Each structure stands twice: as structure tokens, then as C-alpha cells.
Amino acid sequence: MLGIGKWKGEISTVVLKGTVFFDIDCNDGVYAVDIRLPSPMNGVKIIFDEIHEEGNSLVGTGSISVMKNKTVETKITFEEDGRVKAFMKIPMLGKVVMKNIIKID
């Protein structure tokens, strides 16, 4: 199981900057990722319908509460040296890269 726990990382786009918090859980081989975005999008829900392992990465797709019928994609990669890389593809924002990701619990 990859990345179980609570994490945080930084994002910086033209319209969205700040700390993203995300939790990774796995129950009987089924992954769940819960993401909390910074203000002004902190009330927006991203719900991942499907998360699966691809090598040393978790890859998934889901939806975003403010844009019905639009797909959000994510990839979280756990490097052998302990670094974590992640991004989300969010409609209207494009590819949002998370940096300085650390485990907080």
C-alpha cells in the first residue's frame, strides 16, 4: 500500500495559491484520496471515483463539485529517496503541480 496517511503540499497558479492537504487511505485494497484545497476554493469538493496503483504511483480520476460532468485527474508518485511528487489536472486550471510535499501524520 502506497502513501497511507495525511499529507500537505504547496500549489501556486495564477488563481490558486496555498497549502493543499490530502489524506490517503486504503481499505481492502481500495484506495481513497481526500483533498482539501486552499481559499478561495476551500469549499470546492474533489471526489475521486477511482484510485489505483501504477508502479510507485497512485493514479486516479474523479469529479469537481463546481463543474459537473468534468473530469479531474491526479497522480501521486512516491520516489525511492522519500520525495513525493503530485499533480492534478483540473478543468479551467489545467495541470496543478504540488510541491514541497510532506507527510504530517
Side-chain angles (χ1 to χ4, degrees):
M1 292 186 283
L2 291 173
I4 304 302
K6 297 179 184 290
W7 301 82
K8 74 175 185 176
E10 300 297 320
I11 59 172
S12 181
T13 70
V14 173
V15 296
L16 186 61
K17 295 179 184 180
T19 303
V20 173
F21 293 91
F22 60 102
D23 303 339
I24 301 173
D25 194 17
C26 188
N27 189 8
D28 293 328
V30 177
Y31 281 96
V33 175
D34 178 37
I35 293 184
R36 292 168 308 285
L37 297 171
S39 183
M41 292 186 65
N42 56 348
V44 174
K45 288 285 192 188
I46 295 177
I47 300 166
F48 290 103
D49 305 317
E50 192 274 332
I51 299 281
H52 63 273
E53 287 185 31
E54 284 186 8
N56 62 337
S57 298
L58 294 177
V59 177
T61 57
S63 59
I64 186 166
S65 62
V66 295
M67 296 179 210
K68 301 296 182 203
N69 301 318
K70 298 290 184 181
T71 299
V72 175
E73 299 175 19
T74 191
K75 184 173 185 178
I76 306 167
T77 302
F78 302 90
E79 301 289 349
E80 289 182 15
D81 63 5
R83 291 181 297 136
V84 179
K85 297 179 181 178
F87 71 85
M88 293 181 291
K89 288 184 182 175
I90 301 175
M92 306 293 287
L93 293 177
K95 186 176 182 177
V96 178
V97 177
M98 284 186 255
K99 296 182 180 180
N100 304 318
I101 299 169
I102 60 169
K103 191 169 188 178
I104 56 175
D105 188 23

